[in-house]
């Protein structure tokens, strides 16, 4: 079992910044990709950004240049720095961690953290 604990959501004015963090614990052999997804009311969950074990990053087009994903492999944490926030960034943000323990793979999700952006 791998548990993820997220933190850092909240209310911010448009143009402001927030930093989301996610810490993984439990039966973790090795972590491959770590990512952040978001889901707004009435919409499908979408990938915001992910980072591989070697540090390669990828972002959805709408956040490029504004969001930065990073990870600390020693602490099994991943963060999402969100700058220049827009009202359309408002959503529940979910951390996802993929890896393996022994011969088993896992893909675990955080509980979600709410980001609200006022215009």
């Amino acid at each position: 079992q791998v548990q993820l604990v997220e933190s850092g959501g909240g209310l911010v004015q448009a143009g402001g910044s927030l930093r989301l963090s996610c810490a993984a614990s439990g039966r973790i052999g090795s972590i491959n990709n770590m990512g952040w997804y978001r889901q707004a009311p009435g919409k499908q969950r979408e990938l915001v950004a992910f980072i591989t074990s070697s540090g390669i990053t990828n972002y959805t087009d709408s956040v490029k240049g504004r969001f930065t994903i990073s990870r600390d492999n020693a602490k099994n944490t991943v963060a999402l720095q969100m700058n220049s926030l827009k009202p359309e960034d408002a959503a529940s943000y979910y951390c996802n961690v993929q890896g393996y323990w022994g011969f088993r793979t896992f893909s675990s999700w955080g509980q979600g953290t709410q980001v609200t952006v006022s215009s």
Side-chain angles (χ1 to χ4, degrees), residues 25-112:
S25 63
R27 294 184 174 183
I28 300 172
S30 182
I31 295 177
N32 296 330
N33 292 346
M34 307 181 84
W36 288 93
Y37 290 71
R38 67 186 179 188
Q39 187 169 18
K43 295 187 176 181
Q44 289 187 330
R45 187 173 296 190
E46 65 169 348
L47 175 65
V48 176
F50 72 83
I51 183 168
T52 69
S53 57
S54 58
I56 297 172
T57 59
N58 197 8
Y59 300 88
T60 191
D61 286 345
S62 62
V63 308
K64 286 180 180 178
R66 300 187 297 121
F67 290 12
T68 302
I69 189 170
S70 60
R71 65 189 282 172
D72 185 330
N73 292 329
K75 296 181 179 179
N76 292 331
T77 59
V78 61
L80 185 68
Q81 178 66 42
M82 305 185 294
N83 298 329
S84 303
L85 282 160
K86 304 176 180 180
E88 53 263 42
D89 294 318
S92 292
Y93 283 71
Y94 299 88
C95 171
N96 175 255
V97 172
Q98 301 172 8
Y100 56 89
W101 166 263
F103 296 104
R104 295 184 178 182
T105 61
F106 65 84
S107 178
S108 296
W109 292 90
Q111 78 281 5

